[in-house]
């Protein structure tokens, strides 16, 4: 457990005038004003963020900052504040999308997940000790856990759209680090020297084999652009990139199953592209400011 001697330095967090909302809306459940009025007495709770209609309490945000500073003690207060608000905004964007895509979690399901965590960590007392050491209350932990499960749900929705088999190129290359050598190799190929023989001279371990690559995966942009326009069984001109000077040989191009490595790269790209698109239209309201 963290002790008073290693507590992170405090942040100045100033709620703005508009940073409050009926706690009856909860954190992850959207309800109409009529529904709230019928079931709960609205009380005001200070907010830190509101993103696409989902709200984030100031109390949770303060404790998030404490955890953040424990994890990244070398950050100054302003940088930590900016990184945390950006991260939380993305989390709420994902969560809102999950709700729109049908995500639901009952109280019973949430309690079962917590019970499973109790078993994994060694019992309820151990979990409570961990919560205290990491600045969680019982309620804030439930909110965080619900959000985490919703985010995982939405990521699965995004990744499900990625096919496991796509058009790919199977390539060999000769890569050198000076233009003069590259031009000599290219001229040798033009004069009829076998590409495989040259690749063996420069890359005896791999014979220049790159393997299968889809668009948007492992190749530098300059290489990919040319590779997907080449004719099968031909070699390219010299291509300069930050890695050196490339001469390609296109063995074949066809629909092919993605390797685990390429699938992971395309998944990461899909998540990044989805978030960039969503952030461009998201309604993000920040009700706190840092006072380093």
């Amino acid at each position: 457990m963290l002790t008073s001697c290693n507590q992170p330095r405090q942040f100045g967090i100033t709620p703005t005038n508009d940073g409050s909302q009926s706690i009856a809306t909860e954190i992850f459940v959207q309800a109409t004003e009529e529904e709230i009025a019928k079931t709960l007495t609205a009380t005001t709770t200070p907010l830190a963020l509101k993103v696409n209609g989902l709200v984030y309490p100031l109390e949770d945000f303060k404790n998030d900052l404490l955890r953040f500073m424990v994890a990244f003690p070398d950050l100054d207060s302003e940088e930590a504040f900016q990184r945390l608000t950006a991260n939380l905004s993305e989390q709420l964007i994902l969560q809102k999308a999950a709700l729109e895509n049908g995500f639901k979690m009952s109280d019973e399901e949430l309690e079962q997940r917590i019970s499973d965590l109790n078993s994994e960590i060694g019992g309820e007392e151990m979990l409570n000790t961990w919560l205290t050491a990491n600045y969680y209350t019982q309620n804030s932990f439930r909110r965080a856990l619900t959000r985490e499960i919703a985010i995982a749900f939405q990521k699965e929705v995004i990744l499900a759209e990625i096919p496991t088999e796509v058009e790919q190129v199977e390539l060999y290359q000769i890569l050198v680090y000076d233009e003069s050598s590259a031009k000599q190799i290219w001229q040798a190929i033009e004069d009829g020297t076998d590409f495989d023989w040259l690749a063996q001279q420069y890359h005896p371990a791999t014979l220049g084999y790159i393997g299968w690559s889809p668009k948007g995966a492992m190749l530098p942009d300059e290489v990919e652009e040319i590779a997907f326009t080449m004719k099968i069984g031909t070699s390219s001109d010299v291509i300069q990139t930050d890695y050196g000077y490339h001469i390609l040989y296109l063995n074949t191009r066809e629909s092919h199953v993605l390797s685990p490595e390429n699938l992971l790269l395309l998944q990461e790209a899909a998540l990044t592209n989805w978030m960039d698109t969503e952030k461009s239209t998201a309604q993000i309201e920040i009700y706190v400011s840092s006072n380093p």
Side-chain angles (χ1 to χ4, degrees):
M1 181 180 295
L2 299 175
T3 62
S4 59
C5 64
N6 63 359
Q7 295 297 303
R9 58 183 179 274
Q10 296 291 324
F11 281 76
I13 308 170
T14 307
T16 64
N17 292 334
D18 296 328
S20 63
Q21 178 155 324
S22 168
I23 197 168
T25 60
E26 289 296 334
I27 303 306
F28 304 117
V29 179
Q30 292 180 298
T32 66
E33 291 183 0
E34 289 182 304
E35 290 170 332
I36 294 170
K38 287 178 182 178
T39 57
L40 295 171
T41 300
T43 57
T44 299
T45 182
L47 302 183
L49 305 172
K50 183 192 289 185
V51 179
N52 290 341
L54 293 183
V55 300
Y56 203 91
L58 179 62
E59 177 187 1
D60 291 5
F61 187 82
K62 289 179 178 179
N63 289 329
D64 289 336
L65 279 172
L66 292 175
R67 285 191 297 275
F68 202 86
M69 288 305 298
V70 170
F72 304 101
D74 294 332
L75 291 181
D76 63 44
S77 60
E78 179 63 26
E79 184 178 2
F81 178 88
Q82 295 299 331
R83 286 176 58 179
L84 180 60
T85 52
N87 182 268
L88 291 176
S89 296
E90 291 187 357
Q91 290 183 33
L92 292 175
I93 288 171
L94 282 162
Q95 187 188 355
K96 178 61 181 291
L99 292 169
E100 292 176 346
N101 282 312
F103 172 79
K104 294 179 180 179
M105 171 159 281
S106 67
D107 290 341
E108 292 76 13
E109 290 171 322
L110 181 57
E111 290 305 320
Q112 183 58 55
R113 185 63 67 95
I114 293 173
S115 177
D116 293 340
L117 287 173
N118 281 333
S119 299
E120 293 172 11
I121 203 170
E124 184 176 357
E125 184 176 349
M126 289 293 293
L127 179 59
N128 289 337
T129 299
W130 182 88
L131 294 180
T132 301
N134 287 278
Y135 310 105
Y136 282 108
T137 65
Q138 292 288 337
N139 287 335
S140 69
F141 179 67
R142 282 171 167 75
R143 289 190 286 267
L145 183 58
T146 302
R147 182 172 65 253
E148 180 180 312
I149 297 169
I151 289 170
F153 173 94
Q154 179 57 26
K155 286 184 176 180
E156 288 297 322
V157 171
I158 298 167
L159 298 181
E161 299 180 3
I162 300 175
T164 57
E165 185 172 318
V166 298
E167 183 186 36
Q168 300 185 61
V169 288
E170 186 184 30
L171 294 170
Y172 290 80
Q173 78 167 350
I174 299 171
L175 174 63
V176 293
Y177 303 105
D178 64 280
E179 186 176 13
S180 176
S181 296
K183 288 182 176 179
Q184 291 177 13
I185 295 167
W186 178 84
Q187 189 60 56
I189 295 171
E190 287 288 294
D191 293 340
T193 304
D194 184 67
F195 185 98
D196 290 343
W197 183 86
L198 286 167
Q200 185 175 12
Q201 310 311 305
Y202 286 90
H203 307 290
T206 64
L207 304 181
Y209 186 63
I210 295 177
W212 292 93
S213 182
K215 288 184 177 179
M218 299 176 66
L219 299 176
D221 291 343
E222 304 92 331
V223 171
E224 180 179 284
E225 182 179 355
I226 292 174
F228 278 87
T229 60
M230 292 173 60
K231 293 182 179 180
I232 294 172
T234 63
S235 56
S236 70
D237 292 334
V238 176
I239 307 167
Q240 182 179 358
T241 72
D242 292 339
Y243 300 96
Y245 297 85
H246 310 250
I247 301 173
L248 307 177
Y249 178 85
L250 178 60
N251 191 51
T252 189
R253 179 175 58 244
E254 62 185 35
S255 182
H256 193 77
V257 176
L258 288 164
S259 68
E261 296 81 7
N262 282 335
L263 178 59
L264 179 60
L265 287 169
L266 293 185
Q267 288 175 337
E268 291 174 348
L271 290 172
T272 298
N273 293 337
W274 183 92
M275 182 56 69
D276 288 344
T277 300
E278 293 298 313
K279 282 196 296 187
S280 67
T281 58
Q283 296 180 334
I284 300 174
E285 301 170 64
I286 300 176
Y287 297 119
V288 290
S289 62
S290 64
N291 290 323

